[in-house]
Structure formats: C-alpha cells, structure tokens
Amino acid sequence: MDLNPTELTSLAQIACTVAIEAGRLVVDERPEGLGVARTKSTDTDVVTVMDQRSEDLLRRRLGEMRPDDGLLGEEGAARDSGSGVTWVVDPIDGTVNYLYELPGYAVSVAACVGDVSTPGRWQPVAAAVFNPLSEELFHAHAGGGAFLRSGGREHRLSVSTRTRLARSLVSTGFGYDPQVRAAQGQLLAGLLPLIRDVRRAGSAAIDLCHVAAGRLDIYYESGLNPWDLAGGQLVVTEAGGVVTGRDGAPAGKDLVVAGPAGLVHDLHALITR
Ligand code: IPD
C-alpha cells in the first residue's frame, strides 16, 4: 500500500495527538493506591486499570478520526482494517515502571500497513511515542525523518556514530516467563565483558527512541510483541538506524536488534553465535 507524504504526515499528526492525550490521562487520572487489575502471561505480567483506560481512549479517538482503519492493542483491542492501515498501540509501555511510580513509561502509537497478525508481514509508516513524565514526544513518518519534541522545541534525531561494541552502551529487556529470563540472563552475562555497560530501563518503546536519539548506542531483546516494537522501530529507522531480526529476518518476537548498522551487525553476530 502506497501512502503519499501528505497522508503520512497526517497519520503522524494523529499518532502524536492521541499518544499525548493517552499519556496525560495515565498521569492525571492515576488513582490513589493503584494496584494490579489482572495478570496475563505470568503472575508478573500485569495490567492496571489505567492500561485499560488508556487503550479505551486510543480506541475511541482513533475510531473517531480514522473509522476505516484497523486496531491492534496490547490489552486486547482489535478491529479489522478496511483502509489498509492498522494502528498498533501500547497504552502503557513500561507498565511495571508505572505500577511502581518509576519514571520510564510511554504511550506508543503506530500506523502500520500489511498484516499485523503475521510476524514480518507488516511495517510501521507513522508513529509517536510519548513519555508523559518527561513530556518528550518522539515521532516519525516513513521517509520524513525522526524528531523529538520537548520543551516547545523540535529537533531531528540521529543514531549514535559509535562503531565499536566495546565502547557501546547497550540496552535490553527481559520477558515475563522465568525460563525465558534465565536464557536472557545467560546471554547477557556473556555480553557484559564485551561492551561498555548495559541498561535495563523497562520500556522497549523508550529504549528504541533513546537509540534513535543516540542516548543509547544499541538495543536488543527477544520476545517483543508488535505493540512494544512498532512505534520505536520507525523512530529508529527514520533516525538512520537499522532494526533487524535474526539472520536478516524482520525484527519480531524471535529477536530485535536496533542501532547503527555497524553495531547491529556486530551485536547480531555475538547474539546468534
Ligand atoms: C514490556 C516493556 C519491557 C520489555 C518487555 C515488554 P509492557 O512491555 O517494554 O521493557 O522488556 O519485553 O513486555 O509489558 O510494559 O507493555
């Protein structure tokens, strides 16, 4: 599906509008003594009432503005697309940070084309990731570059220029399944002596945007869902980076490595060795 620059700009503006609205909601209307409303894949994979309310807002607002588009949301929102565009949304990426009142969560909204239910068959074309505590808005559309809007200013993003993994600050995350985590821990233990240091911030969307801004050199993780990945992925590629999966496959549940091309090549080789 081909979208022209005017359509892409309009999708990015909509992504920004609804990501900001949902982000303000989760901060302004957070109830006293917020608890866990339910759990998903494991006992530590939590959903709060505000994840649900944020997703409800995103569903309602996108439905008003783009009634023919599809929707795929982390908390279960699903609508088939009649237009060829599907919005992939994470109402709070970094839910555990949000639960603990740690400042590292964001709303991620991405307009995607292709089949979002099939790994590797979709791609983001316009996106916004909004961190409501720092009030940083990362946004991008295909072919238009990636930008950070913050404190009334807007500047273009580019990934790190670093070329050596040994001098690179690497970010990663862990899944909720204990067995998967054990394997992720082993992999990380092998990488630690080969890199500058590691960060685990707790939001894949923010990690990806920080790679786009050069605040992190590179990021990798396995187990990500489309809603964790879609918005940040576009911000990285539009900032001049590469986002790949294993052995040239599209990034997805199996593996995501994101950063400048040279570092991605070297880290991918280490991870898959
Ligand atoms: C999680 C965060 C985390 C990553 C996990 C994700 P959620 O998303 O992005 O950083 O390591 O893999 O599931 O559950 O907070 O939306």
Side-chain angles (χ1 to χ4, degrees), residues 166-228:
R167 294 283 176 273
S168 292
L169 187 58
V170 179
S171 181
T172 191
F174 307 114
Y176 291 109
D177 180 302
Q179 270 182 305
V180 172
R181 279 191 174 184
Q184 289 172 322
Q186 267 184 347
L187 174 66
L188 182 58
L191 288 178
L192 270 171
L194 307 174
I195 60 177
R196 179 189 294 276
D197 204 349
V198 72
R199 295 290 180 269
R200 194 293 194 243
S203 162
I206 293 179
D207 283 334
L208 286 160
C209 290
H210 286 179
V211 167
R215 294 173 179 173
L216 295 167
D217 294 308
I218 189 163
Y219 163 79
Y220 77 93
E221 186 164 347
S222 49
L224 289 191
N225 288 298
W227 43 82
D228 303 310

Side-chain angles (χ1 to χ4, degrees), residues 119-120 122 171-173 184 187 191 208 219-225 229 233 242-258 264-273:
W122 55 272
S171 181
T172 191
Q184 289 172 322
L187 174 66
L191 288 178
L208 286 160
Y219 163 79
Y220 77 93
E221 186 164 347
S222 49
L224 289 191
N225 288 298
L229 174 64
Q233 172 173 342
V242 167
V243 182
T244 188
R246 192 176 300 270
D247 299 327
K253 212 163 184 96
D254 182 35
L255 181 65
V256 175
V257 189
V264 166
H265 173 272
D266 293 353
L267 185 62
H268 174 274
L270 278 179
I271 289 172
T272 56
R273 160 172 95 177

Side-chain angles (χ1 to χ4, degrees), residues 87-113:
W87 295 91
V88 176
V89 302
D90 194 331
I92 304 178
D93 186 55
T95 300
V96 174
N97 284 344
Y98 181 67
L99 184 66
Y100 280 76
E101 295 191 70
L102 282 169
Y105 53 88
V107 178
S108 176
V109 177
C112 299
V113 295

Side-chain angles (χ1 to χ4, degrees), residues 43 61 114 141 144 240:
D43 286 351
R61 294 289 285 136
H141 66 264

